[in-house]
Amino acid sequence: MSHYSLLQLARHSLNGHVGWTPAWRSSGLKERYDAVVIGGGGHGCATAYYLAKEHGLTNTAVIEKGWIGGGNAGRNTTIIRSNYLYDASAAIYDHAMQLWKTLGRELNFNVMMSHRGVINLAHDDNEMRQLKRRVEANRLNGVDAEWLDARQVQEYCPIISISPDARYPVLGGTLQRSGGVNRHDAVVWGYARAASALGVDIIENCEVTGLEVQGRDIVGLRTTRGDITCPKVASVAAGHTSVIAKMADIRLPIESHPLQALVSEPVKPIHNCVVMSNAVHAYCSQSDKGELVIGAGIDPHISYTQRGAFPIIEETLAAILELFPIFSRLKLMRHWGGIVDVCPDASPIISKTPVRGFYINAGWGTGGWKATPGSGQVFADLVANDEPNKIAAPFSLDRFTSGRLVAEHGAAAVAH
Amino acid sequence: MFLIPCPFCGPRDQSEFSYGGEAHIARPTEPEALSDEDWANFVFMRSNPKGVFAERWHHTAGCGKWFNVLRNTATDEVLASYKTGEPPPAVAGFQLATPSGEPPIGSGNDGTKVVP
């Protein structure tokens, strides 16, 4: 793997950019691995990277049904924040936040991390009280958070309407200054490239068709490109997690829903931060290309189609226009859906399973992107040591039996 | 976006309905005898299949009645609707397609199979 640098960029630009080599090795499937990661999205590639880098498991493969970055990694709205209410959530999301800060340097790949600040708006007295409580809870957990009144919200984000005549007027909001956005492709490509450089095989266009379980142990898996023998299988399959788990006769508390997002035509820089609103349900930021990136809520029904219904979009855009009347003439350019794996308590599952050697990282629902590096690192730790570390432990599967849920539905700062 | 055939009103736009999740999850008849695992299974665990799925819908903006629908979650194709309390009708004979018409690979992809 060649090192990316300004010097190298200059050298290649003089040669007309014809000398760039692929970012990761193309590998054939081997018959035996020490560990296999199912799913080549952000979390999957990160898992493989940390398995190789921190645990020496370099004889690892990432099996991806489509192409790297073609699933939810390429479909999310890239919002990064860690202002969750509960200690367990704050621990994992803020762990990820700390990793984001230096990820570009670590991977030698510009992930375009922009800590531009995330505002969560309050539109009524109850919401104000809740969000203020969350600010204090965040501060106790070392997560940067502050409360802004309506005027301060508008100072931070000048284009927002704080008119008291609005149907749901902006009364204030929380600000996490370290929050922001980054570049989804760069993150997943950066992890794949760095993992590949450590010896991990990145296998694309390879669908898992079955898991080999003998007694209570996993011994391998079947794929459309051949069978693999391996003692550890780590599933990071997002919306298809239930499908994979079913191959080992494991039932999960996960439901897969379409989640839609859309971008406008590109315009000059106008929106300087990320604005999210729970009550009217909208979130919006501006990409470096100039498009407004807008996210909707999930469609209520279970579906694997990566398509949602139009009324959801209509509702989201109505909310966006109420917050930002200035966008009323913008045209929309693209609109898509992804399949999100929603857990009943809106918290992820990072867990061992009843099948020894089979591990699951799933249930991130509508907000997994922000956790990518932290999720990959603690999951790699679990896969390598067969025991969850302190950060991963609260997210084990047995919390649905014990009742010790991490119920972030009300506190996750955006409706699900 | 799809049309839902309400057994009482006929086919109507999806936006007239509210969703009720997986159908045929029977409430435990002896709740005091249930173990924690059984409770977890009843309250939280779901089949979430990629393929034929029996689910509940409520005709909120219509007759106000609950009923069940069989739908292929891989394509959103609605296969049948039936009244609450009735068993799901047999859908054998339906040729289920994958969204892009891809070949039926992958044992987990029930969208390519008719499951009872």
Side-chain angles (χ1 to χ4, degrees), chain A residues 54 79 121 175 198 231 280 353:
Chain A
E54 296 183 349
I79 297 171
L121 297 174
L175 171 64
L198 292 170
V280 299
T353 67

Side-chain angles (χ1 to χ4, degrees), chain A residues 65 207-210 222 224 239-240 242-243 246-247 251-258 299-305 307-311 344-345 397 399-403 405, chain B residues 1-2 13-15 17 19 21-22 25 36-37 39-41 43-51 53 55 57 71-76 99 102 105-110 115:
Chain A
K65 183 169 88 166
E207 183 179 353
V208 172
T209 57
R222 295 186 292 275
T224 50
H240 277 74
S242 298
V243 174
K246 195 177 164 194
M247 297 175 188
R251 264 163 78 82
L252 294 173
I254 288 176
E255 294 189 309
S256 298
H257 296 270
D299 282 59
H301 60 281
I302 289 173
S303 181
Y304 287 83
T305 57
R307 280 194 305 269
F310 280 117
D345 60 352
L397 198 50
R399 73 177 188 268
F400 296 98
T401 310
S402 71
L405 304 181
Chain B
M1 196 91 204
F2 40 87
D13 192 280
Q14 180 195 343
S15 58
F17 299 85
Y19 193 58
E22 185 167 347
I25 298 178
D36 288 353
E37 285 74 28
W39 273 118
N41 200 38
V43 177
F44 295 121
M45 302 301 164
R46 294 293 178 264
S47 60
N48 195 28
K50 183 172 187 177
F53 181 51
E55 60 192 2
W57 287 89
R71 187 170 52 90
N72 179 5
T73 60
T75 58
D76 282 349
E102 75 239 44
I105 54 170
S107 67
N109 188 356
D110 290 334
V115 288

Side-chain angles (χ1 to χ4, degrees), chain A residues 250-269:
Chain A
I250 296 171
R251 264 163 78 82
L252 294 173
I254 288 176
E255 294 189 309
S256 298
H257 296 270
L259 176 64
Q260 304 180 76
L262 44 160
V263 294
S264 74
E265 59 187 326
V267 289
K268 288 188 175 173

Side-chain angles (χ1 to χ4, degrees), chain B residues 50-88:
Chain B
K50 183 172 187 177
V52 178
F53 181 51
E55 60 192 2
R56 304 185 303 162
W57 287 89
H58 180 219
H59 200 174
T60 326
C63 61
K65 290 202 176 77
W66 284 94
F67 60 95
N68 296 332
V69 166
L70 277 186
R71 187 170 52 90
N72 179 5
T73 60
T75 58
D76 282 349
E77 182 188 8
V78 175
L79 304 172
S81 70
Y82 54 103
K83 290 175 186 167
T84 303
E86 292 176 357

